[in-house]
Each structure stands twice: as C-alpha cells, then as structure tokens.
Amino acid sequence: MVKKKACIFISGQGSNLKNLILRSRAENFPIKVSLVISNNTKANGINYARKYKIPYIFINCQLKNYENKILFYLKKYKISFICLAGFMKIISKKIINSFENKIINIHPSLLPKFKGLNTFKRVLKNKERKTGCTVHYVNNKLDDGNIIVKKFFYLSPNDNENILKKKTQQLEYRAYPEAIIKVFRNC
Ligand code: GAR
C-alpha cells in the first residue's frame, strides 16, 4: 500500500497527534504522518513530532500571507491529506480550496450539537443524556462539513468537565483512526 503523506495541524496537547503517529506506523494504515504544523510555539504536541522525528513548522496566523507559508510547506513535503487535531484556528478558504475534501477535523461533541468552544461545559449545562466526538470533513463553516465517524457514551451522574474530557478523548483515539481508514477505504 502506498501511504498518503499527511500533515497534522495542532495547537496544544497533541494527544490525538501522538495516537495518529503510532497508528500510522502499521503497514496497512492509509496515511504516513509526514509533517506537523502548529500555530503555537509552546504546544506540547511538538514534543511528539520531535520524539518520532517528524518534520514540524510553526506558523503565526497573525501574519499577512501565513497561508502562503502553509501552502509552501504542504507542497514541499508533498502533503495530500490534512488532519486537524486540536487546531484552534479556523482554516482559511485559500487552504480549503487547495485541499478540497482532503481536510478532516475531530470535534469533542456529537455534531451538529455544540459547535465551537467549551463543549463539555455546555453539555453539562444542557443536561445531555449522551455526548461523544465527531470526525468530519472541513468546509468554510465552523465545525461543519460531512460527518465521517461519530462515537458516543451516556453521561453518568458524577461527570464533570474533566471527566467528560477524559472520556471523550478515549473515544477520539478510536474515532480518528477509524475515520481515516473509512476515508481511504475505496481509494
Ligand atoms: C481534542 O479533544 C479535540 O476534539 C479538540 O481539541 C482536543 C485536542 O486534544 N478539538 C476541538 O475542540 C476543535 N474544535 P489533543 O491536543 O490532546 O489532541
């Protein structure tokens, strides 16, 4: 199998990045993590890029033309697929148009419910019976686009924001690789 070269975009902890790096080592996994892009120089996830010897770059989304820098590096590393994993910036139209249907994202709620930030707080406030995570294609709107995989669990009476985050992330580590396999199943 010829693996697609993928770039993972991060902003913080990078636990999904680590999970994808490890999963992508399997011979039959459809992508190879070939580049990491972070908009945050202090992102812990960069340590995983270093540890697993994956090239990484920092971008400053405040700068004019930052998208050109991203597109330059995506081309340089021959990237054909992008996974957003805790990337807390909106991907610009220019990049979306250059990678149509080639960008996916993971979000810690059952979309279309609870788009945006503070999902766990809102899930609790709304007294939801269940929550989970969603992997979806990225389009021009926030946390929108066709859904690839959704996984859920039922809330327990003792759940708080921290517990919900932990439970959701455990599901994410299964959902993201599953979604990538699904995307490339018929390729
Ligand atoms: C993940 O839980 C992901 O769903 C969320 O950020 C976390 C990143 O964790 N993404 C969003 O909220 C995007 N809207 P990680 O850095 O440990 O992978």
Side-chain angles (χ1 to χ4, degrees), residues 101-104 135-139 144-148 183:
N101 288 320
K102 302 273 189 305
I103 310 178
I104 66 174
V135 183
H136 64 96
Y137 285 100
V138 171
N139 63 17
D144 204 73
N146 288 342
I147 288 169
I148 307 161
V183 164

Side-chain angles (χ1 to χ4, degrees), residues 129-164:
R129 236 165 41 90
K130 56 182 186 173
T131 188
C133 65
T134 309
V135 183
H136 64 96
Y137 285 100
V138 171
N139 63 17
N140 288 324
K141 296 186 204 140
L142 178 70
D143 298 325
D144 204 73
N146 288 342
I147 288 169
I148 307 161
V149 166
K150 228 189 241 198
K151 287 196 183 290
F152 74 90
F153 60 90
Y154 289 100
L155 272 86
S156 305
N158 292 335
D159 282 345
N160 57 33
E161 281 183 51
N162 276 339
I163 296 173
L164 282 189

Side-chain angles (χ1 to χ4, degrees), residues 10-17 85-88 105-108 116-117 119-120 133 142-143 165 168-169 172-173:
I10 62 163
S11 296
Q13 200 53 37
S15 65
N16 278 285
L17 166 67
F87 186 64
M88 303 314 253
N105 178 44
I106 190 153
H107 184 74
L117 298 174
T119 48
F120 307 120
C133 65
L142 178 70
D143 298 325
K165 183 176 175 181
T168 303
Q169 290 208 319
E172 290 186 340
Y173 306 147

Side-chain angles (χ1 to χ4, degrees), residues 69-81:
K69 181 176 176 185
I70 293 179
L71 289 169
F72 170 84
Y73 280 98
L74 293 175
K75 196 168 173 193
K76 179 173 174 191
Y77 286 93
K78 299 187 168 54
I79 300 299
S80 61
F81 194 68

